[in-house]
Amino acid sequence: MIDLRSDTVTKPTREMRQAAFEAEVGDDVYEEDPTVKRLEFTAAEMLGKEAALFVTSGTQGNQIAGLTHCNPGDEVLLEANSHIFLYEGASMSALAGVQPRTIEGDRGAMDPEDVRQAIRPDDIHFPETGLICVENTHNKAGGAVVPLENMQAIYEVAREQGIPVHLDGARLFNASVASGISVKRFADQVDTVQFCLSKGLGAPIGSVIAGSADFVRKARKWRKRLGGGLRQVGMIAAPGLIALTEMVDRLAEDHDKVKILAEGLGNVSGIEIEGKVETNIILVNVEGLNLSVEKFLVQLKQEGVLAVPFGPKVVRFVTNYDVSHGDIREVIERVHHIASRV
């Protein structure tokens, strides 16, 4: 079975497993785990932030950021198809007691003027705008890289109004590799950032949030409140260190594989590639096959390939470390088989 459902399905490398086995550990609630300290220091250095904090998942990291930045009753501005809004179980409302206000973007990028107009004036009838969230790469936009200039413009608007900006950078390193822009330059355009050690970087678990030392101090308490204070966490931080130091450059291989996949599937009668392919995600419109997404995925699984629905007409494929160039050629051939039968 060739699994292209997500880059979350990657398995840790042998080196990661060995590092976990040999990790020097301590109680991280007491801040005594040397391995997680090295991970947090390395991440903060790479992002150009004062401090960083290991968290169990990207969703937890995003929610800790919201809890740390906002007060109950605040409003959070975010793109209408953002992961935080669509795929995190309304956590910001349930946990932080904040109200999301969505802004329609173009391939995940909000218009800075729309953001400016959405910021609430000082009026007793309105909530206060407590946070602006951006996402890069943008999952629902097919792994689109949100331009640095767009992030800069939004950050300028936010600073004028004294509103913090948080970056859901679950796949930030994909954005960096695809654009040639360092993660530090992207992180310079926000106050806080979350990125995943799993997904394309291949670690088995964990994410990192980073920002000022004061933000991380407050975030640490929120992590504890959410049950995220761990003990000998070095055993899962050690693979994360390898992910950060040895797995970033290889993301270009995943981008190359998805371009080959896009070219091959684009030549299948009845299939249309949606949007621009920039990183490791491709959105495929199967309407022309006269198959529903559900029926297409069933036939695809019968052919030994896994993908996920991403709308009434669209299927998402995501390349990852465990899928080879040979696997990509097989996927193209198997989709041709499906198309030839309809």
Side-chain angles (χ1 to χ4, degrees), residues 27-336:
D27 191 323
D28 187 45
V29 175
Y30 290 132
E31 300 184 42
E32 293 177 353
D33 189 295
T35 305
V36 78
K37 283 187 171 183
R38 284 197 297 273
L39 171 64
E40 291 168 344
F41 177 81
T42 300
E45 286 271 292
M46 293 177 77
L47 294 169
K49 298 299 184 186
E50 286 183 345
L53 183 69
F54 178 85
V55 293
T56 57
S57 70
T59 294
Q60 187 184 70
N62 288 332
Q63 298 313 314
I64 288 173
L67 286 158
T68 304
H69 284 301
C70 297
N71 296 311
D74 281 354
E75 188 167 74
V76 176
L77 304 182
L78 66 176
E79 202 275 329
N81 287 305
S82 63
H83 190 279
I84 292 175
F85 181 66
L86 291 180
Y87 298 122
E88 298 189 7
S91 310
M92 279 194 166
S93 298
L95 302 177
V98 298
Q99 172 174 287
R101 185 177 182 184
T102 59
I103 297 171
E104 290 289 340
D106 179 11
R107 287 183 53 78
M110 295 180 288
D111 186 318
E113 189 55 35
D114 289 344
V115 174
R116 185 190 303 277
Q117 294 301 321
I119 294 172
R120 298 286 192 165
D122 185 10
D123 187 301
I124 194 171
H125 299 88
F126 299 148
E128 295 181 7
T129 303
L131 182 64
I132 299 168
C133 295
V134 295
E135 182 180 335
N136 209 356
T137 64
H138 195 285
N139 174 40
K140 192 66 173 176
V145 178
V146 174
L148 181 68
E149 297 76 17
N150 177 263
M151 291 179 60
Q152 288 172 330
I154 290 173
Y155 196 38
E156 287 174 9
V157 170
R159 284 186 294 184
E160 289 170 8
Q161 302 294 324
I163 300 168
V165 179
H166 172 69
L167 168 61
D168 175 5
R171 295 182 175 90
L172 179 60
F173 286 88
N174 290 93
S176 175
V177 169
S179 66
I181 298 169
S182 70
V183 291
K184 181 180 183 301
R185 288 189 67 197
F186 281 118
D188 281 344
Q189 312 312 316
V190 296
D191 297 285
T192 58
V193 57
Q194 176 273 131
F195 70 85
C196 291
L197 295 162
S198 56
K199 297 188 170 69
L201 295 181
I205 189 172
S207 291
V208 172
I209 52 176
S212 69
D214 185 58
F215 166 81
V216 168
R217 178 183 61 80
K218 294 174 181 176
R220 188 178 294 275
K221 178 169 283 191
W222 274 115
R223 187 184 70 172
K224 176 64 176 174
R225 287 170 174 151
L226 295 177
L230 304 177
R231 302 303 177 176
Q232 285 69 43
V233 72
M235 295 189 73
I236 52 178
L241 263 173
I242 292 174
L244 271 188
T245 56
E246 299 183 20
M247 299 291 280
V248 172
D249 290 343
R250 65 143 300 276
L251 292 174
E253 299 174 14
D254 292 346
H255 300 174
D256 179 61
K257 286 180 282 191
V258 89
K259 288 182 174 64
I260 295 170
L261 182 60
E263 182 179 357
L265 295 185
N267 290 326
V268 177
S269 179
I271 278 182
E272 182 179 344
I273 308 302
E274 294 213 338
K276 182 181 178 183
V277 179
E278 294 186 81
T279 53
N280 66 326
I281 298 175
I282 178 176
L283 303 182
V284 176
N285 189 312
V286 299
E287 183 180 19
L289 293 176
N290 294 316
L291 291 173
S292 67
V293 163
E294 292 74 18
K295 289 181 179 178
F296 175 79
L297 289 173
V298 167
Q299 293 195 27
L300 192 66
K301 187 174 182 179
Q302 291 170 349
E303 290 281 349
V305 180
L306 298 177
V308 295
F310 224 54
K313 303 173 184 176
V314 177
V315 171
R316 187 188 75 169
F317 295 83
V318 184
T319 53
N320 57 74
Y321 181 67
D322 292 333
V323 175
S324 68
H325 282 80
D327 290 333
I328 295 300
R329 290 189 289 271
E330 276 292 318
V331 171
I332 295 168
E333 184 175 336
R334 294 174 193 184
V335 173
H336 272 288

